[in-house]
Amino acid sequence: MDHKFEMNTYNFILPEDKRPCQVPSTTSIQIPIIDLSDRDKRVKEIAKACEEYGFFQVINHGVPQGICDRVMTAVTDFFELPCDERARFFSTDPAEEVRLYNYYLKDNDVGDEKKKVINMWSQSFSHHWHPENNDFTRLLPTNPPQYKEAFSEYAKEIGDLSNKILSLISEGLGLEKDSLQKKMGEDPTRKSHANYYPPCPNPELTLGLSVHTDATVALTVLRQSEGVTGLQVIKDGDWISVDPVPNTFVINLGDQLQIMSNGRYKSVHHRAVTNRDKKRVSLAMFCRPNENTLIGPIDELVDDQHPPLYRHFRFSEFLQNFFNQEGTRRRVCELFELQV
Ligand code: OGA
Ligand code: NI
């Protein structure tokens, strides 16, 4: 078995200034919950949430609960397979198409080389997804036996939901409904990240997922286990929890949408904390641009009062910079900023 897979060889303890207890995490502010069946309000409410939070939750989204439950069970069962069965998928190579791995941070303030890498208290499983074409399931686990089918069914639904949300966001920006989709290019590589957070004996010393923005993404559609909190989002300098609401998706904007909207909408920092008693599972479905597509502020959103904040770049160029920053607090978006 791959020795790197043994959790007990890892260091999970964060330096004091990076531990979750250093920051207040209780406030009464809530991430907005938007009723997608409410045609009169949804465009405005989404636009407001995008401006104020970069995050929102959706209800009455039209995705059957059974399909969501099946995929969450399949993902959970995968993470709970015997260690050596999962270990086949373990890889430290981010280019691997199907990959089980641990997030980590490099702490350059620590002199001891071994202690430099701090692992997050989680495991992540990532692979492609596609709303229509099932080819992506070829390399997926055959155990649990329902994994492939549950995932392809779910992918279809999330394809529809993400298109719907992207058009509502486009409308809110005063653009044609298909404007953002068009801007992202034809048939991009879509990625999913499933995250598994085991109960943690010392939640105050570590994190499940370190502070990050979804950099390579325009839009993320996240499903989280019911009854366990963990996801936290920065709002006006405070961390607020996104407590799970039954049969709801958490939607957040990634860096690519921040750039396309010319900074009007922000890709907001978030993290996952651990808890002592219960495991938590989340499934993030990332909608990315096509790698050959030119990304930059959308023309209609640029004028004399709103000069372009970013230069145009090919999305593959962004990805290259992203992978070069592995293990650090990534600052990729900033590389494409223009001085105004
Ligand atoms: C992610 C993410 C949050 C969560 O996968 O990018 O932010 O709640 N996940 O697990
Ligand atoms: Ni994220």
Side-chain angles (χ1 to χ4, degrees):
M1 198 185 76
D2 191 331
H3 70 281
K4 287 180 231 123
F5 195 63
E6 292 280 0
M7 272 215 172
N8 59 13
T9 63
Y10 287 179
N11 171 32
F12 295 99
I13 301 180
L14 285 162
E16 272 182 40
D17 62 328
K18 297 203 169 74
R19 291 179 195 168
C21 58
Q22 299 296 314
V23 202
S25 69
T26 44
T27 111
S28 55
I29 303 170
Q30 282 273 331
I31 296 294
I33 297 177
I34 293 165
D35 181 348
L36 282 194
S37 66
D38 188 340
R39 288 172 182 276
D40 297 334
K41 293 204 196 124
R42 60 189 184 180
V43 170
K44 267 204 190 110
E45 286 184 355
I46 288 177
K48 190 163 185 284
C50 289
E51 266 171 23
E52 291 180 7
Y53 294 89
F55 270 78
F56 53 96
Q57 305 180 76
V58 293
I59 53 168
N60 294 327
H61 41 67
V63 182
Q65 177 148 14
I67 290 180
C68 303
D69 291 347
R70 263 199 296 285
V71 81
M72 291 302 276
T73 304
V75 165
T76 308
D77 289 352
F78 171 76
F79 282 116
E80 293 180 348
L81 287 176
C83 195
D84 46 354
E85 220 175 306
R86 262 176 301 148
R88 243 165 17 89
F89 293 98
F90 189 84
S91 169
T92 50
D93 178 4
E96 201 71 61
E97 276 193 41
V98 179
R99 180 179 173 230
L100 181 69
Y101 57 99
N102 289 96
Y103 279 109
Y104 63 91
L105 273 178
K106 279 190 209 139
D107 185 7
N108 291 324
D109 300 336
V110 179
D112 181 340
E113 276 298 318
K114 267 199 219 133
K115 284 197 180 146
K116 268 194 174 154
V117 168
I118 301 155
N119 288 95
M120 299 296 104
W121 193 268
S122 58
Q123 262 184 22
S124 294
F125 186 51
S126 126
H127 54 73
H128 295 169
W129 65 277
H130 195 282
E132 291 118 35
N133 184 340
N134 274 352
D135 283 355
F136 77 93
T137 61
R138 203 171 30 93
L139 297 171
L140 298 189
T142 46
N143 197 12
Q146 75 280 19
Y147 192 99
K148 291 183 188 216
E149 203 188 318
F151 219 102
S152 66
E153 243 189 338
Y154 187 67
K156 211 176 280 165
E157 296 291 338
I158 300 305
D160 290 346
L161 178 64
S162 56
N163 282 342
K164 187 167 171 180
I165 292 172
L166 282 169
S167 39
L168 295 170
I169 296 176
S170 299
E171 269 190 81
L173 285 166
L175 305 168
E176 294 292 322
K177 282 185 183 177
D178 58 357
S179 186
L180 285 170
Q181 276 116 309
K182 273 198 184 141
K183 186 78 192 170
M184 284 159 67
E186 294 264 309
D187 213 20
T189 333
R190 300 169 179 87
K191 293 279 260 183
S192 65
H193 277 203
N195 306 293
Y196 184 82
Y197 308 97
C200 175
N202 295 103
E204 65 287 358
L205 298 181
T206 191
L207 279 169
L209 213 54
S210 57
V211 181
H212 68 281
T213 62
D214 294 351
T216 63
V217 170
L219 192 79
T220 303
V221 178
L222 181 108
R223 189 91 186 169
Q224 49 176 343
S225 357
E226 288 183 14
V228 200
T229 93
L231 175 60
Q232 297 184 343
V233 175
I234 280 270
K235 168 72 177 152
D236 303 329
D238 283 330
W239 287 104
I240 56 174
S241 292
V242 190
D243 295 335
V245 178
N247 200 16
T248 296
F249 293 96
V250 179
I251 312 292
N252 67 289
L253 311 184
D255 289 20
Q256 304 309 309
L257 222 151
Q258 173 173 326
I259 293 166
M260 290 188 275
S261 74
N262 199 27
R264 192 150 133 195
Y265 293 167
K266 295 279 184 311
S267 171
V268 171
H269 281 97
H270 53 285
R271 66 182 186 184
V273 297
T274 61
N275 76 87
R276 221 176 282 275
D277 311 311
K278 285 190 185 159
K279 70 180 179 218
R280 176 169 175 269
V281 181
S282 68
L283 176 57
M285 302 286 273
F286 295 141
C287 304
R288 289 171 146 187
N290 181 303
E291 290 190 20
N292 297 318
T293 300
L294 215 50
I295 296 294
I298 292 179
D299 288 344
E300 290 95 315
L301 302 177
V302 174
D303 58 30
D304 288 347
Q305 276 84 51
H306 307 92
L309 299 180
Y310 304 94
R311 71 172 175 84
H312 278 76
F313 52 85
R314 226 161 269 290
F315 183 55
S316 51
E317 188 192 342
F318 190 98
L319 285 178
Q320 194 55 51
N321 282 290
F322 178 81
F323 289 125
N324 291 345
Q325 294 184 12
E326 180 96 24
T328 61
R329 173 111 175 234
R330 285 171 155 130
R331 301 192 188 280
V332 200
C333 196
E334 284 85 338
L335 298 175
F336 299 91
E337 271 175 8
L338 294 168
Q339 301 305 320
V340 280

